Amino acid sequence: MVQSILIPFAIPYNSAHTQRYWKGQNPNMVANVYRTPTNIIVNLAMKLHVSVLGDFHSSQPGGVPGKDAIFCSQSPTYKSYAIASYISKNIGTSLITYKKAGVEYPGALEDECNLHGIPAVTCEVLETHGTVSSDKLNKSYSEMMAILTYYHIL
């Protein structure tokens, strides 16, 4: 059975104030740092035996990857790659695959989950930070629905 937990905003204050950084840090680079919001998510996912984790957010123009993309790794959790491939194929989003989690993006939520045996992917839509357009919102929603379809929840 797939354990489903939804965390709509990892840092609600930042989301409400369109702030990217938490205490001067990029939240998606400190999931390996004790008691940061993303580290708390990793630990909660492990404690609750979460079956899969999807991290959904944006990449801004000129940023990395600077396009709609799905990140995954093949090791140590190959299921990360399988899920991302499925989403990419069905939604038409670029697939970015790394051989081993934690090498290219140490501290990323997706990587830390994969390193702890929880299959995880990061789905990013290209959007200027602090803005939300309906087409990107719909794309992100479609990516979320694709994970649920992959696990036969929908």
Side-chain angles (χ1 to χ4, degrees):
M1 174 184 220
V2 174
Q3 174 75 338
S4 300
I5 298 168
L6 176 64
I7 302 171
F9 302 101
I11 310 169
Y13 179 89
N14 284 38
S15 297
H17 294 89
T18 63
Q19 295 175 358
R20 176 166 174 79
Y21 292 96
W22 176 80
K23 296 187 178 181
Q25 300 173 312
N26 177 347
N28 203 36
M29 299 302 285
V30 292
N32 57 349
V33 177
Y34 181 70
R35 299 299 296 163
T36 60
T38 45
N39 179 259
I40 292 168
I41 291 170
V42 172
N43 289 319
L44 182 62
M46 290 187 309
K47 178 181 177 183
L48 297 175
H49 306 288
V50 168
S51 304
V52 62
L53 186 133
D55 181 12
F56 300 88
H57 51 102
S58 65
S59 174
Q60 68 179 352
V64 176
K67 63 180 178 179
D68 295 344
I70 301 171
F71 291 83
C72 64
S73 57
Q74 294 179 327
S75 175
T77 314
Y78 189 80
K79 192 104 177 173
S80 167
Y81 172 73
I83 296 163
S85 295
Y86 178 86
I87 297 169
S88 176
K89 177 181 170 188
N90 287 282
I91 305 301
T93 303
S94 296
L95 179 64
I96 298 175
T97 305
Y98 297 102
K99 290 186 181 197
K100 181 163 176 44
V103 175
E104 298 289 329
Y105 291 100
L109 179 58
E110 166 218 332
D111 286 75
E112 289 302 310
C113 285
N114 281 314
L115 289 170
H116 286 91
I118 301 168
V121 297
T122 299
C123 300
E124 294 191 355
V125 292
L126 182 63
E127 190 74 277
T128 302
H129 291 154
T131 65
V132 180
S133 63
S134 60
D135 64 320
K136 297 302 179 170
L137 182 64
N138 289 332
K139 182 156 205 152
S140 188
Y141 177 77
S142 295
E143 293 165 345
M144 292 175 195
M145 293 297 104
I147 288 179
L148 297 175
T149 303
Y150 178 88
Y151 275 94
H152 307 288
I153 294 172
L154 293 180

